[in-house]
Amino acid sequence: MCGIVGAVAERNVVEILLEGLKRLEYRGYDSAGVALLQADGTFSRTRRIGKVQALADAVDASPVLGGTGIAHTRWATHGGVTEDNAHPHQSSDRIAVVHNGIIENYETLRSGLESQGYTFTSDTDTESIAHTVHSLLKTNETLLGAVQQAVARFHGAYGTVVMDKEDPSRIVVARSGSPLVIGLGLGENFVASDQMALLPVTRRFIFLEEGDVAEITRRSVSIFDANGAPVEREIIESNVEHDSGDKGGYRHYMLKEIHEQPTVVRNALQHRLVGNDIADNVFGEGADAIFASVKHVQIVACGTSYHSGMTARYWLEEFAGVSCNVEIASEFRYRKSVVLPNSLLITISQSGETADTLAALRLAKEIGYSSSLAICNVAGSSLVRESSLSYMTRAGAEIGVASTKAFTTQLAGFLLLTMALGKHNGMSSDTSNEIAHALHSLPAKLEETLTMTQGIEDLAEEFADKHHSLFLGRGDQYPIAMEGALKLKEISYIHAEAYASGELKHGPLALIDDEMPVIVVAPNNELLEKLKSNVEEVRARGGIMYVFADKDAHFKGDDTMRVIDVPHCDSPIAPIIYTVPLQLLSYYVALIKGTDVDQPRNLAKSVTVE
Ligand code: G6P
């Protein structure tokens, strides 16, 4: 969603702030802005609608200098996409603020502040932060004191950075519900909503915790917890690859990330799957003892990560004999659910910062889940820090909004988890060996599957002028059909729905005509014959089918059915393999349609607000 970067340095920080914003742009991108405290003691603020490049061009045209500054990319929540609503927001030409999250009581704050004489120039909730801090500076000697008092008045979620023109030596930051990370430099310090923004300037980070307020100067970082008590937070050396922000010669991040899948999956399995066994502590210290008593798994996640949970349910129940529920995090967090004895809560998240998933984890702890496992791609993220166990997917930075390699590495992790839980639940060594064998073959199979690109490019032409599409699958391929439909709608804006193919005749069959392409994922498994009947039901009604199938499934193509051969693979990894052609299909359809593949309209990479 929105992105924050801030800096306190001797040197001019404008380039650092703009580079940071570019690295965060994938999260939210309808407008951007930067405010600097200039050497003459004045504020300079530049804001633009559109991409960060528009802001960079504006800064190029009228250069600004300053060692203390804050910057922001916005994904509109309160107030439309206008320059007035873009951050930073100011109060009385003294305070400048950037903010991620939502201040839920902003209307009350606003009317109180207006009655004190403050004039609002935007429709945002954020402007009330600026005026609140400004008003409290009348009775507080320090910016830190004013911010500490201000946050007590805010309801909702915020990661915010505040700058005071009267004191250019410091910025004050506060976190509650929206992540902030402090980057430590030499004689200069930084803050951002994601470490990615700061990798060009530092690798040493402090992840703020809920309720923390921190004062950052060039040479010091002082952190105070929710009660105002000074606290020390651990300094973490980041091992995220520095160049992960590059497209590496690919036309889009999404294409690069699709092609990285064999490598990242190989990486993810290395030293974790040893022969036919899982190495110790793959899921964190103490995992084995916890797994020994697990009888039930509750998975919560959003978006693509939810689809990986849906897939995992088939594996956990079929192979490991562990009962499993999967729920969308935004539903789980707002309903009363029954906690079964010996239940493990699993959250799945690429970013580890998705607001609903995090809230679901926090609720789960309150209602009695004794242990939680985060399957996540970002070390040090809130989800990882707040879970008892964690498994890092090792997908590397994923920039494309539409998730690809994060999904397939999550699935690889779930197969390992299936083995780990199965061990305590009477899984036969044959089953365990079968999964291990399939996993060993996975990187090479993914490579082979990527050679399907040419055929899929041609196929994409046939979709580009369609407005609707249907994706069908059965068993563990049903969630893959859901993921395929999500990819297509996300980046090509073609309406796509997924159905378990057995459900077809209970409604969706009414939609079938020759304008509705129907995509089927059909590995050669025990449900094949049933799936074939469903295919015939569509054909009999004039539908045009696109069947992604194992050669051995013996589908015969004709005018109404295009059969696309997918490399043969062992059945435990089939959901992962069949994901790849669907990713490629969405990508090439989007390319032909000319949509913004990496930053599709209205979407954000990391949804840190409800
Ligand atoms: C957003 C992204 C999706 C992602 C979902 C969950 O909607 O656009 O690609 O699947 O959030 O994100 P998470 O980081 O929790 O996996």
Side-chain angles (χ1 to χ4, degrees):
M1 296 226 119
C2 308
I4 285 177
V5 193
V8 195
E10 182 75 42
R11 55 179 164 153
N12 181 20
V13 295
V14 70
E15 285 307 324
I16 296 171
L17 297 179
L18 290 174
E19 173 59 23
L21 288 190
K22 283 183 185 154
R23 290 171 156 260
L24 293 182
E25 195 178 23
Y26 69 104
R27 290 173 162 257
Y29 32 78
D30 54 46
S31 50
V34 58
L36 289 156
L37 278 168
Q38 304 189 106
D40 64 1
T42 59
F43 262 143
S44 88
R45 176 173 65 166
T46 315
R47 298 180 293 173
R48 286 295 179 274
I49 291 171
K51 304 257 174 182
V52 175
Q53 193 51 49
L55 177 69
D57 292 344
V59 168
D60 262 359
S62 323
V64 282
L65 282 174
T68 300
I70 56 179
H72 190 262
T73 52
R74 177 169 188 253
W75 187 85
T77 56
H78 291 69
V81 181
T82 63
E83 209 164 284
D84 281 345
N85 287 336
H87 302 210
H89 289 285
Q90 285 183 209
S91 179
S92 313
D93 192 37
R94 173 170 179 186
I95 293 297
V97 166
V98 288
H99 161 230
N100 286 358
I102 294 174
I103 303 296
E104 287 168 1
N105 59 333
Y106 78 100
E107 280 171 330
T108 317
L109 291 170
R110 185 175 177 135
S111 54
L113 288 159
E114 279 171 342
S115 63
Q116 287 177 44
Y118 285 100
T119 306
F120 281 71
T121 57
S122 78
D123 306 318
T124 64
D125 51 335
T126 302
E127 197 179 347
S128 57
I129 301 181
H131 295 314
T132 303
V133 172
H134 184 271
S135 72
L136 290 169
L137 270 169
K138 291 174 190 154
T139 49
N140 274 278
E141 281 182 9
T142 63
L143 181 63
L144 174 68
V147 172
Q148 278 174 318
Q149 230 178 317
V151 294
R153 300 185 178 186
F154 302 150
H155 302 160
Y158 51 83
T160 188
V161 184
V162 187
M163 191 165 78
D164 178 5
K165 196 170 81 176
E166 307 284 300
D167 186 357
S169 66
R170 70 202 65 226
I171 54 180
V172 173
V173 311
R175 175 204 164 138
S176 179
S178 275
L180 281 179
V181 57
I182 294 172
L184 304 172
L186 279 178
E188 53 189 20
N189 288 313
F190 311 93
V191 67
S193 48
D194 182 328
Q195 55 175 306
M196 283 281 288
L198 302 177
L199 288 177
V201 285
T202 184
R203 309 197 64 84
R204 295 171 67 231
F205 293 107
I206 297 172
F207 293 89
L208 290 181
E209 299 201 356
E210 286 299 283
D212 282 356
V213 176
E215 183 184 64
I216 304 172
T217 71
R218 279 179 49 211
R219 296 188 186 284
S220 68
V221 172
S222 316
I223 305 174
F224 303 86
D225 68 13
N227 301 316
V231 278
E232 293 287 324
R233 302 277 182 231
E234 194 187 349
I235 297 173
I236 290 171
E237 198 81 28
S238 170
N239 57 8
V240 173
E241 286 163 43
H242 184 285
D243 68 350
S244 49
D246 296 335
K247 280 188 204 145
Y250 286 94
R251 190 158 163 189
H252 292 100
Y253 285 112
M254 183 181 177
L255 189 61
K256 173 186 176 229
E257 288 156 7
I258 289 173
H259 281 270
E260 279 173 349
Q261 291 177 111
T263 310
V264 293
V265 166
R266 190 173 284 121
N267 252 346
L269 296 174
Q270 203 174 30
H271 306 308
R272 284 173 165 169
L273 182 65
V274 185
N276 286 348
D277 269 326
I278 298 184
D280 291 339
N281 297 330
V282 165
F283 296 93
E285 243 162 81
D288 222 35
I290 292 172
F291 289 175
S293 61
V294 169
K295 289 283 165 260
H296 176 74
V297 164
Q298 171 69 57
I299 298 177
V300 283
C302 303
T304 290
S305 295
Y306 168 71
H307 295 155
S308 82
M310 289 279 289
T311 315
R313 183 168 68 122
Y314 287 88
W315 295 335
L316 290 169
E317 298 219 341
E318 178 181 342
F319 299 130
V322 176
S323 89
C324 176
N325 251 350
V326 190
E327 191 159 2
I328 291 168
S330 55
E331 286 299 309
F332 180 85
R333 67 177 288 195
Y334 285 119
R335 75 178 185 90
K336 289 208 162 48
S337 56
V338 176
V339 187
L340 298 174
N342 301 322
S343 285
L344 171 70
L345 182 96
I346 302 183
T347 56
I348 318 163
S349 175
Q350 188 286 127
S351 61
E353 302 293 352
T354 300
D356 285 322
T357 311
L358 204 47
L361 168 66
R362 290 175 185 155
L363 171 74
K365 288 187 198 170
E366 278 168 29
I367 62 176
Y369 283 88
S370 51
S371 41
S372 54
L373 165 67
I375 296 193
C376 189
N377 197 34
V378 179
S381 60
S382 305
L383 214 56
V384 169
R385 281 182 289 117
E386 295 185 28
S387 300
S388 26
L389 301 171
S390 61
Y391 170 89
M392 304 314 303
T393 45
R394 296 187 189 161
E398 190 180 68
I399 307 290
V401 164
S403 188
T404 53
K405 61 178 181 167
F407 179 66
T408 43
T409 51
Q410 285 166 358
L411 290 180
F414 267 119
L415 281 174
L416 293 178
L417 181 68
T418 304
M419 291 172 69
L421 284 171
K423 210 158 72 177
H424 298 286
N425 230 31
M427 181 191 272
S428 71
S429 58
D430 280 359
T431 304
S432 171
N433 293 348
E434 185 196 346
I435 299 174
H437 180 267
L439 275 172
H440 282 300
S441 71
L442 181 57
K445 279 289 164 197
L446 284 167
E447 262 154 25
E448 200 183 332
T449 312
L450 284 167
T451 63
M452 296 173 68
T453 297
Q454 177 64 54
I456 291 176
E457 276 174 9
D458 300 341
L459 190 67
E461 299 276 357
E462 297 178 29
F463 281 76
D465 64 344
K466 299 287 187 259
H467 298 291
H468 306 278
S469 59
L470 210 55
F471 284 68
L472 301 179
R474 287 196 87 122
D476 60 9
Q477 292 290 346
Y478 167 44
I480 301 310
M482 293 168 79
E483 174 59 11
L486 178 64
K487 286 289 87 86
L488 192 68
K489 71 184 115 181
E490 276 179 313
I491 61 168
S492 77
Y493 315 150
I494 293 175
H495 172 223
E497 290 301 328
Y499 273 90
S501 44
E503 190 65 9
L504 202 60
K505 49 175 103 52
H506 299 293
L509 210 49
L511 297 171
I512 302 296
D513 63 18
D514 59 4
E515 279 305 300
M516 168 80 95
V518 180
I519 297 100
V520 184
V521 271
N524 187 11
N525 64 17
E526 66 288 350
L527 290 171
L528 184 64
E529 290 312 315
K530 307 245 174 255
L531 188 76
K532 280 185 170 171
S533 313
N534 302 140
V535 166
E536 289 312 319
E537 288 161 9
V538 175
R539 271 223 290 195
R541 283 151 185 94
I544 309 291
M545 317 283 303
Y546 297 85
V547 182
F548 289 84
D550 191 309
K551 248 202 183 108
D552 297 346
H554 303 300
F555 277 95
K556 286 197 182 51
D558 59 22
D559 284 357
T560 59
M561 182 157 80
R562 289 268 309 256
V563 179
I564 305 103
D565 287 342
V566 180
H568 176 74
C569 63
D570 293 342
S571 66
I573 58 167
I576 308 178
I577 295 300
Y578 279 72
T579 298
V580 175
L582 301 188
Q583 294 170 342
L584 289 168
L585 178 66
S586 306
Y587 175 76
Y588 286 108
V589 173
L591 211 59
I592 294 166
K593 291 194 72 177
T595 55
D596 191 341
V597 170
D598 284 330
Q599 299 176 351
R601 68 184 181 202
N602 306 338
L603 300 181
K605 182 71 185 158
S606 179
V607 181
T608 49
V609 293
E610 266 195 68

